[in-house]
Amino acid sequence: MVKPPTVRSTIPGVGRLGLVEPSAPAELAALGWVNADSIELLWSLSRAANADLALRTLVRIKDGLGTEGWAELDAALRVDTGLRGRLFGVIGASSALGDHLASDPGQWTSLRGNVVLPTKQELVDELLAAVEAVPDGSASPTNLVYRAAVTGHDAVAALRRTYRNQMMLLASMDLAAIVENEPVIPYQVVGHQLSDMADAALTAALAVAVATIHPDGPCPARLAVIAMGKCGARELNYVSDVDIVFVAEPADSSASRLAGEMMRIGTSAFFEVDAALRPEGKRGELVRTLDSHVAYYKRWAKTWEFQALLKARPATGDLALGQDYFDALNPMVWTAAEREDFVPEVQAMRRRVEEMVPPELREREIKLGRGSLRDVEFAVQLLQLVHGRADESLRVQSTIDALTALAAGGYVGRDDAANLTASYEFLRLIEHRLQLQKLKRTHTLPPAEDEEGLRWLARAAHMRPDGRLDSLGVLNAEVKRNAHRIRRLHAKLFYRPLLDSVARLDKEALGLSPDAAVRQLAALGYVAPENALGHLKALTSGASRKGRIQALLLPTLLEWLSDTPDPDAGLLAYRRLSDAMMDAEWYLRLLRDEGAVAQRLMILLGSSAYLPDLLIKAPDVLRTFADGPNGPRLLDVDPHDVARGILASSARYDDPVRAVGAARSLRRHELARVASADVLGMLDVPQVCQALSSVWTAVLGAALAAVVRASEAELGEAAPATIAVIGMGRLGGNELGYGSDADVLFVCEPRPGADETRAVKWANMVADRVRTLLGAPSTDPPLEVDTGLRPEGRNGPVVRTLASYQAYYRQWAQAWEIQALLRAHAVAGDTDLGLRFLTMIDEFRYPDGGVTDTAVREIRRIKARVDSERLPRGADPATHTKLGRGGLADIEWTVQLIQLRHAHEVPALHNTSTLETLDAIGAAELLAETDVELLRESWLTATKARNALVLVRGKPTDQLPGPGRVLSAVAQVAGWPGGDANEFLDNYMRVTRRAKAVVERVFGA
């Protein structure tokens, strides 16, 4: 018998409908939606953001309505597609609103038929009716003061229920297009409606407060409620704090109680009512008179407080008083950009916003993360503050309206404004959908592993498969695309209009006027904006390919520069570098193709006066700014290899001038590399000191070798003596900084058979020639060879024989000269002679039994004189990095005193490095471990600060400046977290003060 073919049912099964809960078949049966007449309903249900949630909520609604009520709803759903879209949309996207409807299922009738959004007055009337409010005795068309008949818990419950009904209606219309072919409500309409609902809610809360605080008569005070933030701008979220400020006449205790009760009712019934934006924040008075507000903003307000006033508007209460508040304070907003502290305050506020987001949430945080809503709002508000004083068309409150006005005025490109608006509205849509799910305040995307949550969000946001990706893939792609676009446009927003105005790259662009361009640059931190505008014109001038590439690069480069301590100097340095590299085709290509190179270059140019000239003369260092397979190529270099290269390169030349020139060239390259890596935070203090000492030693050795070779060629015979260079001070300790001279001793020894007088004379000629060649005027950082530590000081011969040194130290050396030998180390010249010199002086610097008590007293006396006499006039002893309290001299003298007293019994103290000797002191327990750490920290802190001073100012200096722009730059270059200058200075003084206590204990022992 032939089996008849299977006829596929036209009724979709739960799997085809996207229903995954095991209870779904039974729930569909309970609704009676299992026949062919229900097919259209079933497919509509399947399009809900969470079809299982929608189905479960429908069953609860059916149970609440009863048989007759459900029959009415069921019949309406079969014929009213608008009702279907609104109901299924809201109960599939919001479990909270679904719960609300299930608790009062008869409210479904508000979603049927030709639904329109209520007007603001209708919203107010509905909420006032919920508490049976009537106009108070003091009410007027401009004084929205009512008196509720219902108060206490009953009032809160009635207001909450009514407000949820209003929100449900809006959300259902907002979500209907997900399910059915219903109109999409624009983002701005949703924001306006939510803000109108908030105004109405505040009006009703005030009515309950009036009845509670003044039950026996008219409200005696005029109280204006000023909406701030998103509510003030009429771009409120579904779930958000509502920021308000109170103005009262009089601002007495009665007005304060009224305002406080209103906030309590509003927070209990609707949303968090927050008055933290009032003067002095949460510490300030809750209510103030208008005159008190004006006085505060004139005298005390910070920049961010004026930025907050951008969105202020009267919301309810005494609207006439609220308008007086607005009229009095609004003009102050448009002069905020002229304040002296405008730029640093704005930059600090921006950093604080970024730091608020934990690193693990930055890619998921759509409000505060990178490429987020706050990026758009921050940029737009800054441009409004900058240009709004001269252009009243920018004095609008909402972000979208401001972007439209900025584009119309030519302050932002039209395409950029349109793209930024689209990205902003997309992220606000995602924010709304996230909040609607449970009516919780959130701005964070579900984690990647929460696929179910992300898939729900994709459907709630009306993401549809595009043929290549499913709805979840489309959501992920759109989030990344819009965040990237915001990050990119955030940089362009400030600078592309500037470039359009100076280069006219886009003939259709309106461009900024010269005055507007200057204002914009000033607001971005440029102290001399007219000069900066000139640099931009020069960089983008002409129709050359280089000018076009510069125009493409500059928006991003200038964005990075604006975050540096000195963008003016940075832009000038970039122009100079670009001019110098005009014929190098690889230069702009490198900046264009290697984002890390461009960003690092801007950080360096805007932070350091030491680096620009080095980079102009050693441009190949720029290539090492890129990242290699093992990290930044700046770190791929071994300082010892550099030293060998310097010696080998200079050895190719017979002429000492050319040999030293070759050594200088490689030194320049290495200094640029080390300083760049240092500013970028890639090297620690010991690594920097080692690299600088290594290159100094190599150049010194190259110069000595070149002069000796030239002399031998001129004499036609071997030199009459061998010669060695002994490094002293920080050179001997391998701890040079950027501003350090090279302290050295020259020692010679006549060759067998040579006349000693002639040999010493020749050695002095060589030493003088080396010092002259290295000290020749140059735009490079100086190469000063200092022989002031030689026997008899400036009065003694520059070069002595080994025997002469031995005789002097045995008979004539003073305590300080023996102390100086503790850091003696052979650095150049004849290796054997250098080692023999070190062996010879060991008996003096590490004497058996330690130095005498007389020598210790002498060292203490000299140290006291140094402390009282050597500090330069006008220097601050608390912040002088070399001779100040707990500075380098304090730490080094302390270490050396311990060496003099104990090196004979602790061989590990036979060391020229301060840090390594501190390790040995700790290991030998000559000082407590905590004391050793205090000395180490102070030495590192002072050295880091001293190096940063040179990098920032471009010349040797030891004195930290007072609070201001330079100190901020030093703090940033020194790697202080956040670059906070005051915290940096406080830390420096705290560390050195603690170390000074250790110094005093050692010298007093």
Side-chain angles (χ1 to χ4, degrees):
M1 182 176 179
V2 179
K3 191 174 184 178
T6 302
V7 178
R8 184 176 180 181
S9 173
T10 59
I11 302 173
V14 291
R16 292 178 65 197
L17 293 172
L19 296 165
V20 297
E21 293 293 335
S23 59
E27 290 168 341
L28 289 175
L31 297 179
W33 291 2
V34 291
N35 51 38
D37 293 339
S38 304
I39 292 175
E40 193 174 339
L41 280 175
L42 293 172
W43 284 119
S44 291
L45 179 67
S46 75
R47 291 191 290 271
N50 185 332
D52 284 289
L53 174 63
L55 176 58
R56 188 164 58 251
T57 305
L58 278 170
V59 172
R60 294 169 63 199
I61 292 171
K62 174 182 179 295
D63 293 341
L65 288 171
T67 303
E68 189 174 329
W70 171 249
E72 182 184 0
L73 173 56
D74 183 72
L77 286 170
R78 294 175 186 277
V79 296
D80 187 344
T81 57
L83 171 62
R84 241 176 12 228
R86 288 185 284 275
L87 181 60
F88 293 174
V90 73
I91 65 176
S94 175
S95 60
L97 289 175
D99 291 343
H100 172 71
L101 185 55
S103 68
D104 186 11
Q107 278 298 316
W108 74 266
T109 57
S110 66
L111 308 183
R112 73 189 308 176
N114 186 25
V115 179
V116 294
L117 289 173
T119 65
K120 182 174 182 178
Q121 189 57 53
E122 289 170 340
L123 294 168
V124 172
D125 292 344
E126 188 176 9
L127 282 164
L128 290 175
V131 289
E132 302 173 19
V134 296
D136 184 59
S138 61
S140 71
T142 60
N143 192 11
L144 306 182
V145 181
Y146 298 84
R147 178 177 297 278
V150 181
T151 58
H153 295 300
D154 291 341
V156 170
L159 291 175
R160 183 187 296 121
R161 182 172 56 252
T162 305
Y163 185 76
R164 282 291 174 93
N165 287 340
Q166 293 176 349
M167 182 180 288
M168 182 184 69
L169 176 62
L170 173 60
S172 70
M173 297 179 69
D174 190 12
L175 292 158
I178 298 172
V179 176
E180 296 290 350
N181 188 24
E182 290 292 300
V184 174
I185 301 183
Y187 153 72
Q188 282 189 288
V189 172
V190 175
H192 288 171
Q193 188 71 13
L194 287 166
S195 301
D196 288 347
M197 288 167 54
D199 287 359
L202 293 172
T203 303
L206 181 58
V208 177
V210 167
T212 303
I213 302 300
H214 302 291
D216 300 325
C219 179
R222 298 177 64 195
L223 184 70
V225 182
I226 309 298
M228 308 285 282
K230 283 187 169 61
C231 185
R234 300 192 72 220
E235 51 189 11
L236 199 59
N237 300 333
Y238 277 100
V239 184
S240 176
D241 292 353
V242 170
D243 295 303
I244 60 172
V245 170
F246 292 105
V247 189
E249 299 289 351
D252 54 15
S253 60
S254 172
S256 293
R257 294 202 325 273
L258 180 62
E261 181 66 12
M262 175 194 158
M263 290 178 63
R264 189 189 69 79
I265 296 295
T267 298
S268 300
F270 311 119
F271 36 67
E272 184 75 26
V273 182
D274 191 344
L277 291 180
R278 66 186 184 267
E280 300 181 74
K282 294 181 179 179
R283 296 172 301 167
E285 295 292 335
L286 184 59
V287 298
R288 285 176 181 252
T289 63
L290 176 57
D291 288 344
S292 177
H293 276 286
V294 171
Y296 174 83
Y297 280 97
K298 281 184 175 179
R299 187 170 182 183
W300 303 110
K302 294 183 169 61
T303 297
W304 70 264
E305 293 178 281
F306 290 104
Q307 190 170 350
L309 284 176
L310 270 172
K311 298 181 180 294
R313 66 172 177 85
T316 191
D318 193 321
L319 297 181
L321 179 58
Q323 188 62 44
D324 290 342
Y325 170 92
F326 179 84
D327 293 341
L329 296 185
N330 191 251
M332 300 185 198
V333 172
W334 307 108
T335 59
E338 299 172 0
R339 292 159 61 98
E340 187 175 335
D341 57 358
F342 177 76
V343 173
E345 280 198 18
V346 167
Q347 291 173 334
M349 181 167 56
R350 182 176 171 190
R351 283 195 297 270
R352 283 197 299 272
V353 167
E354 293 174 352
E355 291 166 1
M356 285 171 62
V357 184
E360 65 273 14
L361 295 181
R362 284 178 187 163
E363 297 303 316
R364 293 167 46 207
E365 171 59 66
I366 62 172
K367 179 180 179 180
L368 303 176
R370 294 185 67 241
S372 67
L373 293 166
R374 189 55 56 86
D375 274 348
V376 180
E377 293 162 355
F378 180 91
V380 169
Q381 290 167 24
L382 185 56
L383 287 176
Q384 282 183 276
L385 289 170
V386 171
H387 300 296
R389 183 182 182 216
D391 188 345
E392 293 188 7
S393 71
L394 302 181
R395 300 182 184 184
V396 294
Q397 291 162 325
S398 87
T399 303
I400 300 302
D401 290 344
L403 268 170
T404 302
L406 286 165
Y411 306 102
V412 177
R414 289 183 291 273
D415 288 344
D416 289 347
N419 285 326
L420 205 57
T421 297
S423 290
Y424 183 75
E425 291 188 347
F426 171 79
L427 290 184
R428 290 302 300 272
L429 171 69
I430 297 299
E431 181 184 40
H432 283 177
R433 296 300 178 258
L434 285 167
Q435 293 178 345
L436 273 173
Q437 187 181 30
K438 295 181 180 178
L439 290 187
K440 297 292 185 184
R441 185 183 178 204
T442 180
H443 321 94
T444 307
L445 295 169
E449 59 270 18
D450 184 7
E451 188 170 318
E452 181 181 346
L454 286 168
R455 199 170 295 281
W456 162 84
L457 178 60
R459 291 168 64 85
H462 209 182
M463 298 288 115
R464 292 291 183 258
D466 62 2
R468 187 172 54 88
L469 298 169
D470 63 5
S471 60
L472 177 55
V474 171
L475 172 69
N476 288 331
E478 283 297 296
V479 168
K480 289 178 182 177
R481 184 177 71 86
N482 282 281
H484 175 75
R485 183 159 69 177
I486 288 173
R487 287 198 295 268
R488 180 174 55 84
L489 291 177
H490 187 261
K492 283 185 65 180
L493 203 59
F494 298 108
Y495 299 108
R496 183 55 191 261
L498 288 169
L499 297 175
D500 282 339
S501 66
V502 299
R504 288 296 179 194
L505 301 170
D506 181 357
K507 293 181 180 178
E508 297 183 1
L510 295 175
L512 297 178
S513 68
D515 287 345
V518 166
R519 284 198 305 273
Q520 190 148 316
L521 284 164
L524 292 163
Y526 290 86
V527 176
E530 297 88 352
N531 294 343
L533 199 60
H535 299 325
L536 295 182
K537 289 178 180 178
L539 286 163
T540 57
S541 62
S544 68
R545 180 171 177 271
K546 287 184 174 62
R548 290 194 300 274
I549 294 176
Q550 287 281 21
L552 291 173
L553 288 171
L554 277 167
T556 303
L557 300 185
L558 292 170
E559 171 76 2
W560 288 327
L561 261 184
S562 70
D563 286 333
T564 64
D566 194 346
D568 293 82
L571 183 56
L572 172 60
Y574 179 66
R575 177 183 173 184
R576 290 176 56 220
L577 179 61
S578 295
D579 288 345
M581 299 295 290
M582 185 175 295
D583 296 328
E585 293 184 2
W586 59 268
Y587 167 67
L588 288 177
R589 186 169 63 247
L590 179 70
L591 298 185
R592 182 192 64 197
D593 298 340
E594 296 280 356
V597 173
Q599 184 173 15
R600 287 165 180 166
L601 177 61
M602 294 305 105
I603 292 171
L604 297 173
L605 296 182
S607 303
S608 171
Y610 182 86
L611 271 164
D613 286 334
L614 286 174
L615 292 174
I616 288 171
K617 293 178 180 178
D620 283 346
V621 176
L622 293 174
R623 299 180 192 270
T624 67
F625 287 8
D627 288 322
N630 300 316
R633 290 178 178 163
L634 278 167
L635 304 182
D636 285 349
V637 179
D638 185 335
H640 298 296
D641 291 339
V642 173
R644 286 191 289 270
I646 289 173
L647 292 168
S649 176
S650 64
R652 300 190 187 105
Y653 301 98
D654 295 328
D655 180 6
V657 174
R658 296 186 67 189
V660 170
R664 278 182 177 274
S665 176
L666 291 177
R667 172 183 182 259
R668 188 183 306 132
H669 188 285
E670 178 66 354
L671 286 180
R673 181 194 73 83
V674 173
S676 297
D678 190 4
V679 174
L680 294 171
M682 298 176 183
L683 295 175
D684 60 25
V685 171
Q687 289 172 318
V688 170
C689 292
Q690 181 186 9
L692 294 176
S693 302
S694 176
V695 72
W696 229 124
T697 298
V699 171
L700 191 56
L704 178 63
V707 171
V708 170
R709 284 197 308 274
S711 176
E712 288 181 329
E714 184 179 337
L715 292 172
E717 60 181 6
T722 56
I723 189 168
V725 183
I726 309 300
M728 304 289 283
R730 290 183 179 82
L731 178 62
N734 209 34
E735 294 170 339
L736 283 181
Y738 296 104
S740 302
D741 293 339
D743 290 307
V744 300
L745 302 178
F746 287 96
V747 58
C748 73
E749 186 168 67
R751 293 187 184 277
D755 179 70
E756 181 172 327
T757 302
R758 177 173 176 265
V760 172
K761 183 178 180 181
W762 173 87
N764 274 282
M765 179 276 297
V766 169
D768 287 340
R769 180 70 169 142
V770 167
R771 294 166 65 201
T772 300
L773 284 171
L774 293 179
S778 169
T779 55
D780 289 348
L783 282 161
E784 293 294 334
V785 178
D786 190 342
T787 57
L789 293 178
R790 66 186 185 267
E792 302 180 64
R794 307 288 180 188
N795 298 320
V798 172
V799 185
R800 287 176 181 259
T801 63
L802 183 62
S804 175
Y805 273 111
Q806 186 173 27
Y808 177 85
Y809 287 128
R810 179 165 289 134
Q811 296 181 49
W812 308 107
Q814 299 179 46
W816 70 267
E817 292 177 294
I818 299 300
Q819 181 183 347
L821 292 177
L822 289 170
R823 307 192 77 179
H825 185 72
V827 295
D830 187 85
T831 303
D832 179 66
L833 178 58
L835 289 175
R836 285 191 287 124
F837 178 89
L838 297 180
T839 302
M840 178 270 295
I841 64 171
D842 278 352
E843 67 170 293
F844 306 114
R845 57 180 176 174
Y846 310 133
D848 290 339
V851 294
T852 64
D853 292 340
T854 301
V856 170
R857 285 195 296 273
E858 177 65 10
I859 290 170
R860 288 173 175 161
R861 186 188 66 79
I862 296 172
K863 177 69 170 63
R865 285 191 59 190
V866 168
D867 289 345
S868 62
E869 299 175 9
R870 291 267 316 270
L871 198 67
R873 179 177 296 178
D876 183 350
T879 54
H880 195 276
T881 59
K882 182 179 180 181
L883 299 174
R885 179 188 66 198
L888 295 175
D890 265 352
I891 310 305
E892 290 163 358
W893 277 65
T894 301
V895 168
Q896 290 159 21
L897 179 59
I898 294 173
Q899 283 181 287
L900 288 170
R901 300 178 72 178
H902 299 284
H904 67 286
E905 56 189 3
V906 182
L909 296 181
H910 296 193
N911 197 313
T912 61
S913 162
T914 302
L915 291 180
E916 291 176 10
T917 304
L918 274 171
D919 289 338
I921 290 171
E925 298 182 353
L926 299 175
L927 279 181
E929 184 178 345
T930 54
D931 287 348
V932 170
E933 286 307 311
L934 287 173
L935 294 176
R936 179 195 309 282
E937 184 181 9
S938 191
W939 190 91
L940 290 171
T941 300
T943 302
K944 185 70 173 176
R946 191 176 188 230
N947 281 344
L949 277 167
V950 179
L951 290 170
V952 168
R953 289 190 155 172
K955 57 185 180 182
T957 181
D958 298 311
Q959 178 65 62
L960 284 173
R965 198 180 187 99
V966 176
L967 183 64
S968 295
V970 171
Q972 192 162 323
V973 170
W976 186 252
D980 188 303
N982 291 328
E983 287 187 8
F984 168 77
L985 193 59
D986 288 346
N987 178 73
Y988 179 90
M989 296 174 71
R990 181 170 57 252
V991 167
T992 53
R993 184 175 64 251
R994 291 172 178 172
K996 182 66 173 180
V998 179
V999 173
E1000 289 174 344
R1001 283 202 301 274
V1002 171
F1003 270 85

